[in-house]
Amino acid sequence: MQSETSSSPVQSSPATLRKVTIAAAAGTVVEWFDFAIYGFLAPIIAKVFFPDENHIIGLLQTFAVFAVAFALRPVGGAFFGMLGDRIGRKRVLALTVMLMSGATVAMGILPGYATIGIWAAVLLTLARSLQGFSAGGEYAGAVTYVIEHAPPNQRSRYSSWMPAATFGSFAVAALLCYLLTANLSTEAMNGWGWRIPFLVAGPMGLVAFYIRRRLQESPLFAEIADDSESTHTRLGTTLRQQWRPMLTLGGYISLTALSFYTFSTYMTTFLREVVLLPADQVLMTNVAALAFAAVLSPVLGRVCDKVGRKAMMTASSILLGALAVPAYLLASQGGLGNALLGQILLATGAVAANVVTAVLLSEVFPTAVRYTASAITYNVSYAVFGGTAPFVATFLIATTGNKLAPALYLSVIAAGALIATYLIPETSKRSLSAGTPTTTAARTARARTH
């Protein structure tokens, strides 16, 4: 792993930090709201876009399309990451939020299988693909932008607002789906009600775009952009130089991705399709659990700055590994209380993993390749373990008949993440103010000659 120079970065004022954090969080809300509503409405989408021959097959097809969007996230991460390392963070973040919201609105106006047959599924897949491609440059870029403004001893405090925005957006999406489900008939919800959350993404995206367009560039990026010795690293060079930290960090983020989607997306399907709780009750408990996660995120962000990254990584791996089975056991008992408590057990470990991941994405990599390396690492892990989480969980229960199969899967991945934790050095004290190692060496040489 490359070390950074110890020079002090440009300090941002508290007012600038608030503005930067709000702008980054606004786009994060749009990104994850868009992905959340697809997961929450998966049973209805299965009926609208796929032949109504076998409900489980339709649900698997819906989650397969869910996974396709994640398959394109690494491609988007590489594309927008290189663009962000070349032209700046804020321009790319303004572009990604518009593409994401546009793709989501498109899903809200698509005709169903009954109208255009198989083309409905094709168009749904294309819209989800564009959504996934653009989202690939969003989260890693947002946390990079925030952390490059933050004080060295408060980086997790500020970056934790990104997972808070993530869980909060899922809570808003779940609440909207709950209100629609509770107030519309089944026929109305299946006919047109499900489209409303997708269409809401339009104005949300415009607001986030407006906020982001008014921001200044990150001071650390401006520093290397103004340096005549700084060069833009090619993708192949980035992969050759950063493959080891990308691989080890990806090993840990596999747990972040799986726990997030197991808790935030698949659990609602599990409670509806396996436990057979009414849809409105499922969404009610999910809103409460997600709100809890959103509130907990900034709290754990401050804790992470105090105890360090490795301690938080270890704690999250142990929590998720130990609590996954009890959480599913509780949820499978039925009833509102059991459903809520099971989700909160999962949420505690998932929040800890998401909070430390947000800050690690920027601390592990040097400034000149930070956007590219972090976006690829994050999105590959989410594509392999996050995007497939609902599909794998549904498949495991369908083939084994064991309701606890998804929990056992999560526990295995938690054990792997714990191993990865010990391969990643502590980064909480690391300076972020340098560019590439070549740039740092050039600066040192110039200083010596003068």
Side-chain angles (χ1 to χ4, degrees), residues 77-87 232-235 371-372:
F79 176 81
F80 290 112
M82 289 187 293
L83 196 62
D85 282 332
R86 181 174 293 275
I87 70 172
H232 300 294
T233 308
R234 294 179 181 273
L235 177 60
Y371 202 154
T372 305

Side-chain angles (χ1 to χ4, degrees), residues 133-184:
F133 178 75
S134 55
E138 172 59 36
Y139 191 82
V143 294
T144 292
Y145 186 68
V146 169
I147 289 175
E148 287 182 347
H149 284 84
N153 63 337
Q154 299 181 63
R155 291 196 290 246
S156 186
R157 171 190 173 184
Y158 284 99
S159 66
S160 67
W161 287 100
M162 298 309 105
T166 301
F167 289 115
S169 65
F170 266 73
V172 171
L175 179 60
L176 179 56
C177 292
Y178 165 72
L179 292 174
L180 289 170
T181 302
N183 291 283
L184 293 177

Side-chain angles (χ1 to χ4, degrees), residues 249 252 309 313 356-365 424 427:
L249 181 58
Y252 176 77
R309 314 311 181 219
M313 294 166 74
V356 71
T357 292
V359 70
L360 284 170
L361 286 170
S362 291
E363 288 183 341
V364 165
F365 305 109
I424 300 175
T427 60

Side-chain angles (χ1 to χ4, degrees), residues 49 106-107 110-111 116 118-129:
F49 287 95
M107 283 189 280
L110 288 178
I116 58 173
I118 192 62
W119 285 105
V122 172
L123 292 175
L124 176 68
T125 304
L126 289 175
R128 282 288 295 173
S129 297

Side-chain angles (χ1 to χ4, degrees), residues 9-24 89-90 93 141-155 158-159 214-222 362 367 370 432-433:
V10 179
Q11 294 293 313
S12 299
S13 68
T16 299
L17 274 168
R18 285 194 298 271
K19 190 181 299 182
V20 163
T21 305
I22 290 170
R89 299 4 179 169
K90 78 154 196 167
L93 290 174
V143 294
T144 292
Y145 186 68
V146 169
I147 289 175
E148 287 182 347
H149 284 84
N153 63 337
Q154 299 181 63
R155 291 196 290 246
Y158 284 99
S159 66
R214 297 168 61 85
L215 294 174
Q216 298 298 316
E217 188 51 78
S218 127
L220 287 182
F221 177 81
S362 291
T367 303
R370 181 169 295 133
L432 303 182
S433 59

Side-chain angles (χ1 to χ4, degrees), residues 21-31 97 138 165 204 207-208 211-212:
T21 305
I22 290 170
T28 299
V29 167
V30 174
E31 174 193 5
V97 75
E138 172 59 36
M204 289 175 62
V207 171
I211 294 173
R212 285 183 169 183

